[in-house]
Amino acid sequence: MLLIVVKVALTALVVVSATIVAERLKPIWAGILTTIPLSSGAAFVMLALSESPAFLSDAALAALVTSIAAYAYLAVFVSLAPRRAAFASVSAAFLTWLAFSTISYAFAWSLTAALLGNLLAYAACRIITRSAPDPHVAGRRASPTRRDLLLRGLAVGLLATVVSISGRYVGPTVAGTLAVFPMVYVTVAFIVHRRAGGAVAAATMGSAATPLVGVSLAFFTLAALATVTGSLAAMLAALAVTMLWPLMLALRHLHLNRAIPA
């Protein structure tokens, strides 16, 4: 129960932080922030503590497969957000995610096939979103009230609670899928669209595609190592990937900013 509370709190923290960053700073930083897997990481810690390494490996493989749908979500939302309302853009993107996730159950995925599927999905997402607004441009200045922040946290927390509790009573495939349920993407996309406009929302979510590759690599690492090294070592290796990838992207962005003359 404690870990569920932690997961809910971390999810709410990511969403609130990402929306503030998108509203006050540059969308690219919010995009990186939305892909830090605090919520799914907490879910996999729960699985590592309560299930066997084989269960953990199967759940990580399912999460890796479902990550393909996350790229589809980003591609659809970024394409629609600049010219469609928040609800329409998020709904279309989520239905796309749901369709891809459901279709994936019809196939037997190997670890290699799932990784290749992610890389192809990333490439397709980058091509589709190449005309997205520039994520390096500062977002519209907005000052969310305490009431706004409280409502954001409560809404995300409620959704995270439902997903977390449901995931405890299902098999590894569904558990892995629920662990990467795109609650952060849905809520951040909707809130930023409503608060800062479709262009900023598209820039924010478009800049999440490359950071998402790190999440895919972390799930691949976890699935590959869980039955070899044990749950703890595999979790630590996956955690290292999730920390190093966004750090590398952040340092690259800072380097590029310094290289551009004022």
Side-chain angles (χ1 to χ4, degrees):
M1 185 62 187
L2 176 60
L3 285 174
I4 291 180
V5 174
V6 171
K7 179 185 176 184
V8 170
L10 290 176
T11 302
L13 175 63
V14 169
V15 170
V16 171
S17 300
T19 54
I20 292 175
V21 169
E23 291 168 0
R24 300 300 300 272
L25 300 174
K26 295 180 179 180
I28 190 170
W29 292 112
I32 293 175
L33 186 59
T34 59
T35 56
I36 297 177
L38 294 179
S39 175
S40 58
F44 274 96
V45 167
M46 293 166 58
L47 293 177
L49 293 176
S50 61
E51 305 293 345
S52 67
F55 187 103
L56 183 65
S57 178
D58 289 342
L61 174 58
L64 180 61
V65 171
T66 306
S67 294
I68 297 173
Y71 294 105
Y73 175 97
L74 294 177
V76 171
F77 179 81
V78 172
S79 299
L80 294 178
R83 60 182 188 276
R84 295 287 185 270
F87 182 79
S89 302
V90 172
S91 296
F94 176 72
L95 289 175
T96 301
W97 177 90
L98 188 62
F100 270 77
S101 299
T102 302
I103 292 172
S104 69
Y105 284 106
F107 302 93
W109 293 85
S110 68
L111 191 55
T112 302
L115 180 61
L116 289 176
N118 272 261
L119 296 177
L120 290 174
Y122 167 70
C125 181
R126 291 287 293 174
I127 292 172
I128 293 172
T129 62
R130 63 183 180 275
S131 60
D134 185 1
H136 298 84
V137 177
R140 180 191 303 171
R141 294 285 176 178
S143 299
T145 64
R146 292 182 180 179
R147 177 175 174 273
D148 289 333
L149 298 179
L150 178 61
L151 290 176
R152 295 179 195 184
L154 289 176
V156 177
L158 177 61
L159 181 57
T161 301
V162 172
V163 173
S164 299
I165 294 177
S166 299
R168 298 183 65 183
Y169 302 101
V170 294
T173 299
V174 179
T177 300
L178 289 176
V180 292
F181 184 85
M183 64 184 77
V184 171
Y185 283 171
V186 168
T187 49
V188 168
F190 185 81
I191 292 171
V192 173
H193 197 301
R194 291 291 300 273
R195 293 277 305 176
V200 174
T204 298
M205 303 313 294
S207 63
T210 299
L212 182 57
V213 174
V215 179
S216 300
L217 293 175
F219 288 137
F220 175 82
T221 301
L222 184 58
L225 295 181
T227 56
V228 178
T229 64
S231 297
L232 177 59
M235 284 294 300
L236 290 175
L239 176 62
V241 173
T242 62
M243 294 176 64
L244 291 175
W245 186 265
L247 177 61
M248 179 188 70
L249 294 178
L251 291 175
R252 177 177 176 272
H253 173 63
L254 291 174
H255 175 73
L256 291 175
N257 272 358
R258 293 194 187 100
I260 298 174

